[in-house]
């Protein structure tokens, strides 16, 4: 098997070193980055086969790093390993194509299994769209559904039904 390279973006150096030791023992090459900027620069310079990403990083948080990485490569496997467990963050990560979401401290067997699954079936290419909406539009969409993406889909479906009715 080719030796896959995993980029670990984790600000807790002792934890990053534990990940590195476990991953090297499992046969992976590992590079560590301790800030979001450092991780992004490392990925831009050298790439990776998979990224382990913490969400609570200094300066540039994990969500910002995730968006920046997705802008560079929409289908690189990314696994979140974080102490932050909010549903909102999980949804945001899912929308940005995160393969797995593990809570800290991770079970190393579960982490290795997640890595294997992610490398075997990488993320399908996804298009990430950022919308800048005026407050009144955002308010209207929120009245349809608090999840803006679902609200936009519902609005588009409703318009399509109206067009189909008009054509009949």
């Amino acid at each position: 098997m080719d030796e896959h390279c995993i980029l670990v973006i984790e600000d807790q150096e002792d934890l990053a070193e534990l990940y590195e030791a476990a991953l090297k023992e499992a046969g992976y090459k590992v590079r560590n980055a301790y800030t979001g900027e450092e991780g992004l620069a490392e990925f831009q310079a050298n790439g990776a086969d998979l990224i382990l990403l913490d969400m609570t990083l200094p300066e540039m948080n994990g969500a910002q790093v995730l968006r920046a990485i997705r802008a560079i490569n929409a289908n690189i496997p990314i696994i979140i390993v974080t102490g932050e467990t909010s549903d909102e963050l999980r949804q945001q990560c899912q929308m940005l194509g995160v393969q797995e979401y593990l809570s800290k401290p991770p079970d190393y067997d579960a982490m290795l299994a997640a890595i294997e699954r992610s490398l075997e079936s990488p993320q399908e290419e996804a298009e990430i769209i950022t919308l800048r909406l005026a407050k009144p539009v955002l308010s209207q969409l929120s009245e349809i559904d608090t999840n803006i993406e679902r609200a936009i889909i519902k609005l588009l479906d409703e318009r399509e039904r109206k067009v189909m009715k008009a054509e009949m």
Side-chain angles (χ1 to χ4, degrees):
M1 129 177 150
D2 284 338
E3 192 176 50
H4 289 287
C5 181
I6 298 175
L7 174 58
V8 176
I9 305 174
E10 168 62 61
D11 63 323
Q12 296 177 37
E13 290 186 32
D14 56 341
L15 196 52
E17 289 170 6
L18 287 173
Y19 294 164
E20 181 179 13
L23 294 170
K24 282 185 173 179
E25 187 175 310
Y28 296 106
K29 285 191 282 184
V30 180
R31 291 192 320 273
N32 288 326
Y34 303 105
T35 67
E37 290 91 348
E38 187 181 328
L40 187 55
E42 178 64 32
F43 181 68
Q44 287 174 314
N46 301 306
D49 296 313
L50 182 138
I51 297 172
L52 280 181
L53 176 63
D54 182 19
M55 293 306 281
T56 51
L57 297 167
E59 300 159 24
M60 183 181 200
N61 69 41
Q64 292 169 315
V65 174
L66 180 54
R67 281 190 195 89
I69 288 170
R70 283 290 178 237
I72 297 166
N73 184 327
N75 57 0
I76 177 92
I78 298 175
I79 298 174
I80 301 298
V81 183
T82 188
E84 179 131 0
T85 58
S86 75
D87 288 339
E88 185 179 318
L89 180 62
R90 281 182 185 262
Q91 275 186 330
Q92 184 179 22
C93 289
Q94 187 176 21
M95 287 173 54
L96 291 168
V98 169
Q99 267 75 2
E100 305 268 348
Y101 191 101
L102 305 173
S103 296
K104 281 185 181 176
D107 172 272
Y108 287 99
D109 290 334
M111 184 173 75
L112 292 173
I115 290 169
E116 286 178 33
R117 281 191 302 273
S118 296
L119 288 170
E120 286 172 8
S121 56
Q123 174 70 27
E124 291 181 22
E125 190 162 334
E127 185 175 350
I128 298 168
I129 300 171
T130 303
L131 297 174
R132 295 184 63 85
L133 301 171
K135 285 186 179 183
V137 173
L138 197 56
S139 177
Q140 258 185 321
L141 288 170
S142 293
E143 287 175 18
I144 295 170
D145 192 317
T146 55
N147 179 308
I148 300 302
E149 185 179 353
R150 282 194 311 250
I152 291 170
I153 291 168
K154 286 178 184 178
L155 188 62
L156 292 173
D157 286 346
E158 185 179 306
R159 285 187 180 171
E160 187 176 317
R161 281 193 297 275
K162 286 179 182 177
V163 168
M164 290 176 72
K165 277 184 181 180
E167 291 175 351
M168 293 180 157

